[in-house]
Amino acid sequence: MEIEEKLERMEDGKKAGEKELTIEEIFQGTEVPSWRSQLTIRSILVSVLLGVLFTFIVMKLNVSTGVIPSLNVAAGLLGFFFIKAWIYVCSIFGYTCKPFTRQENTVIQTCVVAISGIAFSSGYASYMLGMTKIIADQGPASANTANNVMTLNLGMMYGFLFLISFVGLFSILSLRKIMIIDYKLIYPSGTATAYLINSFHTDQGAKLAKKQVRTLFKWFGGSFIWAFFQWFFTSDDGCGFAAFPTFGPQAFARKFYFDFSSTYVGVGMITPYSINLSMLLGSIISWGLMWPLIELHEGKWYPANLPPSNLSGLQGYKVFIAIAMILGDGLFQFVFVLCKSVYNLMKSKDKDVGGKPVVSYDDQRRTEYFLKDQIPTWVAALGYVLFAVLAMICVPKIFPSLKAYHILVIYIVAPILAFCNSYGCGLTDWSLASTYGKLAIFIFGSWVGLDNGGIIAGLAACGVMMSIVSTASDLMQDFKTGYLTLASPRSMFVSQVFGTLIGVALSPAVFWVFFYKAYPDLGKDGTSNPAPFGALYRGIALLATEGLSALPKNCLKLAIGFFFFAILVNIIKQVMMHYKNKAHKYLPSPIAMAVPFYLGGYFAIDMCVGSLYRYWRERNNKAEADAFVPAVASGLICGDSLWGMPASALSLLNAKPPMCMKFLSRATNTKVDAFLEG
């Protein structure tokens, strides 16, 4: 059957007895460009533009709560829009442009994800911030020695990020055929992104994409204007709509309020219901029950009148119990994914004995193009060894407490962990990169010791390990997307390398100018940018170097209890999933519960508002909600986050808002009025 007839049948709908067209049958008559033709000047320019936007968004989310949703839908949608806009503008001036292919769209997607991925793996709101004095001052003075505290500067930030960011690209590069074709791993995020891109390049999908883009920009404009309006009322701490005591002053003191954040309302729309409700549950258990009860023992369990940020007081319970839950959840996921990976590998070998399976037309075509442009194995080996040697020579010069033999151990173990993590992502879409980073803090922090700068060594080792593992799994996700869109692995790899290079150039500058210098209180609890994972990561390093003596009274018992609680919840959930018990979806996520233990419930309430909006849209029209809610969420996140750029510039120029809007209780207001009258 001719392709024109197939397309006509696709538009008219399939007739009785006919099979529905597959993806590759739809694109059968479309020429697949060479790998060089997939890398265009326009795709590079659009990738850099979107990379700047998404770097700022990820950095903003990092320093506020550390909760970062998948932005793949927004990246794919905006990439499609900007190239279509490019072609339209060129046509106005009489220029003819090459057709926009799904392969070029995939290259843009890969590059943008690589750029914004560096904003996360750079650790400027987690392990790098944990090295600084502002975080160290929140802990015991015994850990604030000169070799356990660092002052960040652009030179060391650029140097370290360059040394660690490219290695992950080479760590498991040669295993792409095994992971994608032989094991047929799903990689849910990569697969979903591929189907999204494929749909954009059909007539019906293009029409839907235009409507989605229109929705995105409408909510983007509203979110940006709302953030700009709020700024006028925030001349001091505790001012503005972000300090609105929605449920009364007592609930506000316990961090239960709606802070009118468009960003986290949007995040809640694209985050699973179970995660949002788990965060709300965690905030109720911690700030509603546990912390008030522990405060009754002030002076007995911990010294009275300590500063709120001191880890020897109530803050210690918040940080170390949250760490225990995160580690318990991470340890279970590590063991579970490792065991499942080994089991599936053995199972796949047994299946191979039975002969070759039947391969569909789509799989045949995809395999043909995926194997067409090979990347030689020696490139992967040489790249890994060169960057490993470079890191062994240069990283100890940046962090003297981390020696060359420590780096060697990391680079020997990292490919194994990268393989396990990538395999796990292929099955469940759950990355354990941060878990491996935390394990590195424990191992290398305790190995070096407090007196020899173990805190800095552990945090730096975390950065090296996390960057390798995270980058490797991201690359394999992108290869899966490329496999499903017929994008060349070679063009994907080049795009990933270019994106990593841009990310390395961009992330330190964005963090330094718009956050580190613009907000001197960055990392302090109770501020607009608490960067909670800075204190959490340093807390892990403190445990590794000082041991259990760093904990307040009874904190260890509570931490152990919540550590095993996290493991138990995960075991129950997996057993219920194994027996196909649908009630598993109602069990909370321990790692999601842990985040508000430290921060409070305000952002969880924002996210639950986003969930309510999504639930309302789904009840009215499920298909329409699936198509447009991610666009609404992306618009809210982008608009609110992008306002942070001019807000930071105004802060650097010492331009303060003209007004302070505060909300007082009736009794306090009476006292203020009496004082003013007097």
Side-chain angles (χ1 to χ4, degrees):
M1 183 181 289
E2 296 296 326
I3 190 65
E4 290 82 2
E5 295 177 14
K6 287 189 176 184
L7 290 173
E8 185 180 348
R9 177 159 60 88
M10 181 183 70
E11 293 175 358
D12 293 341
K14 64 176 182 176
K15 299 172 185 176
E18 290 183 333
K19 291 183 179 179
E20 188 174 351
L21 284 171
T22 65
I23 293 293
E24 295 310 323
E25 284 178 339
I26 294 171
F27 291 102
Q28 185 179 347
T30 305
E31 181 184 357
V32 178
S34 66
W35 74 271
R36 286 187 177 87
S37 299
Q38 295 171 23
L39 298 163
T40 62
I41 297 296
R42 66 188 183 189
S43 67
I44 291 172
L45 292 176
V46 168
S47 297
V48 172
L49 175 65
L50 293 177
V52 172
L53 172 64
F54 282 91
T55 293
F56 194 88
I57 291 171
V58 171
M59 204 71 76
K60 176 63 178 174
L61 295 173
N62 266 330
V63 300
S64 52
T65 65
V67 179
I68 303 171
S70 173
L71 299 171
N72 286 359
V73 172
L77 195 59
L78 289 172
F80 177 82
F81 166 74
F82 280 116
I83 295 295
K84 286 292 186 181
W86 177 298
I87 293 172
Y88 177 73
V89 171
C90 287
S91 67
I92 292 176
F93 292 98
Y95 293 101
T96 303
C97 294
K98 291 195 304 183
F100 181 38
T101 64
R102 53 188 177 137
Q103 291 78 29
E104 187 179 358
N105 207 158
T106 305
V107 165
I108 295 172
Q109 170 80 21
T110 300
C111 192
V112 173
V113 169
I115 295 171
S116 59
I118 297 296
F120 169 74
S121 62
S122 60
Y124 294 140
S126 54
Y127 61 85
M128 290 292 283
L129 190 64
M131 300 177 184
T132 62
K133 189 176 186 301
I134 195 167
I135 301 296
D137 286 344
Q138 299 176 26
S142 59
N144 292 6
T145 55
N147 59 354
N148 282 304
V149 179
M150 285 196 73
T151 301
L152 299 183
N153 62 75
L154 274 176
M156 64 87 72
M157 290 163 66
Y158 271 113
F160 183 60
L161 193 59
F162 175 80
L163 290 169
I164 67 173
S165 295
F166 292 91
V167 187
L169 299 176
F170 299 96
S171 59
I172 56 172
L173 177 63
S174 56
L175 300 179
R176 64 193 179 281
K177 177 181 176 294
I178 295 173
M179 308 285 265
I180 304 296
I181 296 176
D182 295 345
Y183 294 160
K184 294 180 172 59
L185 296 178
I186 300 170
Y187 290 101
S189 289
T191 299
T193 303
Y195 281 112
L196 181 74
I197 291 172
N198 282 332
S199 71
F200 286 164
H201 294 268
T202 63
D203 290 339
Q204 187 176 359
K207 292 176 183 176
L208 177 61
K210 288 179 181 178
K211 294 179 182 177
Q212 290 172 321
V213 168
R214 195 179 302 121
T215 300
L216 188 153
F217 277 104
K218 181 173 68 176
W219 287 87
F220 170 89
S223 179
F224 186 89
I225 292 170
W226 171 241
F228 174 54
F229 174 74
Q230 288 189 78
W231 176 82
F232 284 96
F233 304 94
T234 57
S235 63
D236 205 348
D237 290 339
C239 300
F241 289 93
F244 182 79
T246 321
F247 309 110
Q250 291 187 351
F252 180 80
R254 295 293 176 189
K255 298 198 175 184
F256 280 97
Y257 58 95
F258 176 63
D259 73 345
F260 294 90
S261 168
S262 300
T263 294
Y264 281 98
V265 172
V267 170
M269 292 180 190
I270 53 179
T271 303
Y273 294 123
S274 60
I275 298 297
N276 294 339
L277 293 175
S278 295
M279 288 184 175
L280 186 62
L281 176 63
S283 63
I284 292 170
I285 291 173
S286 55
W287 290 84
L289 297 173
M290 288 180 60
W291 306 156
L293 291 173
I294 291 174
E295 282 178 344
L296 297 176
H297 298 280
E298 184 180 9
K300 299 176 183 177
W301 286 16
Y302 59 92
N305 302 319
L306 288 175
S309 61
N310 195 303
L311 288 177
S312 298
L314 183 63
Q315 185 79 344
Y317 296 92
K318 297 176 185 177
V319 170
F320 292 116
I321 292 175
I323 288 172
M325 290 184 71
I326 292 170
L327 291 177
D329 190 285
L331 181 63
F332 174 84
Q333 298 295 341
F334 170 68
V335 174
F336 176 74
V337 169
L338 183 63
C339 293
K340 190 170 183 178
S341 300
V342 173
Y343 172 77
N344 283 322
L345 286 172
M346 300 300 295
K347 194 175 178 181
S348 64
K349 287 182 180 179
D350 293 339
K351 284 183 178 180
D352 290 342
V353 178
K356 293 184 178 180
V358 177
V359 181
S360 67
Y361 170 75
D362 280 15
D363 286 340
Q364 288 177 3
R365 195 161 189 242
R366 288 164 178 167
T367 301
E368 174 191 349
Y369 281 94
F370 192 74
L371 299 178
K372 184 178 178 182
D373 298 316
Q374 290 296 308
I375 303 169
T377 303
W378 65 265
V379 172
L382 182 63
Y384 192 83
V385 170
L386 284 177
F387 276 103
V389 171
L390 196 62
M392 289 173 62
I393 296 170
C394 299
V395 169
K397 296 183 184 299
I398 301 172
F399 305 107
S401 56
L402 195 64
K403 307 301 181 184
Y405 53 85
H406 295 140
I407 304 294
L408 178 62
V409 171
I410 293 173
Y411 277 76
I412 291 172
V413 175
I416 301 170
L417 298 181
F419 171 78
C420 293
N421 187 59
S422 295
Y423 194 94
C425 284
L427 296 172
T428 64
D429 213 23
W430 186 268
S431 176
L432 298 177
S434 60
T435 301
Y436 294 136
K438 296 180 186 78
L439 290 175
I441 295 176
F442 265 110
I443 294 168
F444 292 95
S446 58
W447 185 355
V448 175
L450 182 65
D451 295 337
N452 298 317
I455 290 179
I456 297 296
L459 292 171
C462 166
V464 177
M465 181 68 78
M466 196 163 77
S467 178
I468 296 172
V469 175
S470 176
T471 304
S473 61
D474 287 347
L475 179 64
M476 210 55 66
Q477 288 271 16
D478 290 334
F479 276 142
K480 181 67 175 185
T481 304
Y483 170 77
L484 294 171
T485 59
L486 304 192
S488 166
R490 196 171 293 180
S491 67
M492 299 284 287
F493 183 69
V494 172
S495 177
Q496 186 88 16
V497 171
F498 177 77
T500 302
L501 184 63
I502 297 298
V504 168
L506 201 58
S507 289
V510 169
F511 175 76
W512 183 265
V513 174
F514 293 106
F515 298 100
Y516 193 64
K517 287 298 182 182
Y519 301 100
D521 58 358
L522 177 68
K524 285 187 177 179
D525 187 28
T527 63
S528 59
N529 297 298
F533 284 96
L536 290 175
Y537 275 64
R538 189 173 181 90
I540 296 173
L542 195 64
L543 279 178
T545 53
E546 279 201 332
L548 303 178
S549 61
L551 302 177
K553 186 178 180 180
N554 292 319
C555 183
L556 177 62
K557 296 176 183 177
L558 290 168
I560 290 174
F562 277 95
F563 176 86
F564 285 107
F565 165 77
I567 294 175
L568 180 62
V569 169
N570 277 298
I571 290 173
I572 294 172
K573 182 178 288 189
Q574 292 300 330
V575 170
M576 293 174 74
M577 289 173 68
H578 178 75
Y579 288 103
K580 296 180 173 56
N581 188 324
K582 293 182 179 180
H584 73 84
K585 65 179 73 172
Y586 300 109
L587 288 176
S589 164
I591 197 168
M593 288 179 65
V595 178
F597 269 57
Y598 176 72
L599 276 179
Y602 62 94
F603 74 96
I605 292 171
D606 294 343
M607 294 173 70
C608 285
V609 170
S611 284
L612 281 174
Y613 174 82
R614 181 170 129 207
Y615 177 75
W616 171 69
R617 290 290 299 264
E618 287 179 344
R619 284 294 299 268
N620 290 333
N621 190 320
K622 181 68 166 62
E624 189 178 275
D626 291 341
F628 289 100
V629 168
V632 172
S634 300
L636 288 173
I637 295 168
C638 294
D640 190 38
S641 299
L642 197 61
W643 163 249
M645 200 173 290
S648 299
L650 291 168
S651 178
L652 288 169
L653 295 171
N654 291 321
K656 292 189 175 182
M659 292 174 279
C660 173
M661 182 174 66
K662 281 197 173 183
F663 303 90
L664 307 175
S665 66
R666 182 169 54 193
T668 304
N669 186 64
T670 302
K671 292 178 182 178
V672 171
D673 287 344
F675 174 79
L676 292 174
E677 289 174 3

